[in-house]
Amino acid sequence: MKKNYFLRTIIFSLALCMTTLFSMTAMAASARWESSTSRDEYNNICIDFAEVQVVLPSDWGGKVQMNISTDSVSFYHIASRDALTDLYGYANGGHLFTICYTEEDDYSDLPSYMVIGSTTEGTYYAWFPTDVQAYTDDLSISNEYTSLYNDMDWVKANMTLTIDVILTEYPEYIFPESSTSYLSESDLAGMTADEVQMAINEIYARHHRKFLKDDVQAYFDAKSWYSGTIEADDFDISVMNIYESANINLMVNYLDTHDFNADGDDDEYILPQSSTTYLTASDLAGMTADELQMAINEIYARHHRRFNTASIQAYFDSRSWYSGTIEADDFDVSVLSQIENANITLMLEVKATRS
């Protein structure tokens, strides 16, 4: 199974052929690309450099060569590289990807790259070949390269800065350490529901997820560290490490159990607690079918949905707390919490008896 568990297990020997070409130039070479290799509980191959971790699928063992130079480490398909080297007389072909470190913005013109993350001193990024690197005259070699290449989206999602990297300034993050340290409820105090939700999205964004909501996507596109390469529907939450999973659970629970409208004017809401407290049938006593439908819409409105019916849109436009930024057709109901979904179901059931 391909899964990045991020807990270190007993170190196994990796059947990767590794050629090291170290230059003894401080952190830029000898220390930066020193690595240790282990297997996680799913037998995936975890390669830990000083500040970056790369996880490879278990079946890549024995098929990939890692070459290290001053500011980069490249991964090659052994069989393709050997065959093309024999053909041309010099090291050639088989390239899968290269991870680089730079203190300049010298990668933005590359045709195919992905930013892994930044420290206070520089940036790690990966770049990928745009032409065929397989040896195509041998079908078995070509098929093996294709099998490796088909895993590249998963490999990209498992290139991360490690917990050894400590930044001193985090102007571009809501929670700079949410992927490396456990948050506490006190860290969330004073945050709005939208800010907490965006902090959850920030963890997903670190793993290169794209977002369905245009405003969320635009927010992360504006971050220098973000590289969105994985469609929302293709994102695999198993890439989360133990800190990220715990922090997401903390924040989701915080959203479910806190009343973010406590300081607001309840008179502006039909059911002020409908996003934070499970309603009962008695809470809905005396409400008409139209009022119940508007109360359902109120839950959607809290998540910035707009409405196709002009009168409904006008009603929420008059609420001081409302900010309608998402068109009805673009609204994603997955943003609703467990409490909100339960309350909508209850209101629909009661509404059916009053229509």
Side-chain angles (χ1 to χ4, degrees):
M1 171 186 264
K2 297 171 186 173
K3 184 176 180 182
N4 188 355
Y5 193 68
F6 282 86
L7 288 178
R8 303 299 179 267
T9 58
I10 298 174
I11 296 179
F12 291 82
S13 59
L14 169 65
L16 288 175
C17 301
M18 293 191 286
T19 303
T20 58
L21 305 172
F22 286 121
S23 297
M24 301 302 291
T25 57
M27 180 63 175
S30 59
R32 188 177 305 283
W33 301 117
E34 287 182 355
S35 65
S36 63
T37 301
S38 62
R39 296 271 185 164
D40 66 15
E41 65 175 30
Y42 299 96
N43 209 33
N44 297 318
I45 304 163
C46 303
I47 305 173
D48 288 282
F49 300 99
E51 297 180 327
V52 172
Q53 183 190 65
V54 179
V55 182
L56 306 178
S58 59
D59 58 1
W60 280 36
K63 302 174 184 177
V64 174
Q65 173 179 336
M66 185 171 72
N67 288 345
I68 299 174
S69 60
T70 302
D71 289 321
S72 66
V73 54
S74 296
F75 292 77
Y76 297 90
H77 176 220
I78 294 172
S80 287
R81 192 162 183 81
D82 287 350
L84 289 165
T85 297
D86 289 342
L87 180 63
Y88 293 107
Y90 59 91
N92 191 289
H95 183 213
L96 292 165
F97 65 92
T98 295
I99 297 175
C100 303
Y101 173 81
T102 182
E103 296 178 1
E104 308 292 337
D105 185 20
D106 55 3
Y107 53 85
S108 58
D109 291 332
L110 291 173
S112 181
Y113 74 93
M114 178 189 77
V115 174
I116 300 172
S118 298
T119 71
T120 54
E121 297 177 349
T123 298
Y124 288 94
Y125 66 94
W127 68 272
F128 311 91
T130 56
D131 57 344
V132 176
Q133 292 286 311
Y135 180 71
T136 57
D137 290 343
D138 184 310
L139 185 59
S140 64
I141 293 177
S142 177
N143 287 342
E144 186 174 83
Y145 179 92
T146 299
S147 176
L148 298 173
Y149 183 83
N150 288 339
D151 289 331
M152 281 308 303
D153 283 344
W154 188 88
V155 174
K156 289 177 183 179
N158 287 281
M159 299 179 184
T160 56
L161 289 182
T162 67
I163 62 173
D164 294 326
V165 179
I166 302 175
L167 304 183
T168 58
E169 296 180 0
Y170 304 96
E172 290 206 322
Y173 292 91
I174 300 169
F175 284 121
E177 298 182 357
S178 63
S179 288
T180 60
S181 302
Y182 292 114
L183 299 175
S184 66
E185 190 164 308
S186 62
D187 294 318
L188 309 179
M191 294 180 68
T192 67
D194 287 343
E195 288 169 341
V196 175
Q197 182 60 57
M198 196 64 85
I200 294 172
N201 292 337
E202 182 174 80
I203 295 177
Y204 297 142
R206 292 178 195 265
H207 291 279
H208 319 295
R209 176 186 155 164
K210 300 179 73 172
F211 298 89
L212 298 177
K213 293 184 177 180
D214 291 341
D215 57 334
V216 176
Q217 186 63 49
Y219 173 85
F220 289 110
D221 283 340
K223 305 300 173 185
S224 64
W225 53 265
Y226 175 67
S227 175
T229 59
I230 303 172
E231 297 297 332
D233 291 342
D234 297 328
F235 187 74
D236 183 358
I237 60 172
S238 70
V239 301
M240 300 289 127
N241 66 34
I242 56 174
Y243 300 104
E244 293 168 327
S245 295
N247 290 335
I248 288 173
N249 288 337
L250 172 72
M251 287 188 279
V252 169
N253 184 65
Y254 192 84
L255 288 172
D256 286 347
T257 58
H258 284 70
D259 180 9
F260 290 93
N261 300 312
D263 296 329
D265 183 357
D266 283 358
D267 290 340
E268 286 212 328
Y269 293 90
I270 301 167
L271 293 172
Q273 313 298 326
S274 64
S275 285
T276 59
T277 304
Y278 288 105
L279 300 175
T280 66
S282 62
D283 294 319
L284 311 180
M287 295 181 68
T288 67
D290 288 342
E291 289 170 338
L292 287 166
Q293 182 58 57
M294 194 64 83
I296 293 171
N297 292 339
E298 183 173 78
I299 293 177
Y300 297 142
R302 284 189 168 107
H303 293 279
H304 316 292
R305 176 184 157 166
R306 295 181 61 81
F307 300 89
N308 292 327
T309 303
S311 59
I312 296 175
Q313 184 62 48
Y315 172 83
F316 288 111
D317 283 339
S318 70
R319 308 291 98 175
S320 63
W321 52 265
Y322 175 67
S323 174
T325 58
I326 303 169
E327 295 299 329
D329 291 342
D330 297 326
F331 185 73
D332 183 358
V333 294
S334 67
V335 301
L336 301 179
S337 70
Q338 181 177 334
I339 290 175
E340 291 171 322
N341 280 316
N343 288 339
I344 288 172
T345 298
L346 174 65
M347 286 188 279
L348 286 172
E349 290 173 352
V350 174
K351 178 189 171 188
T353 67
R354 297 179 185 174
S355 298

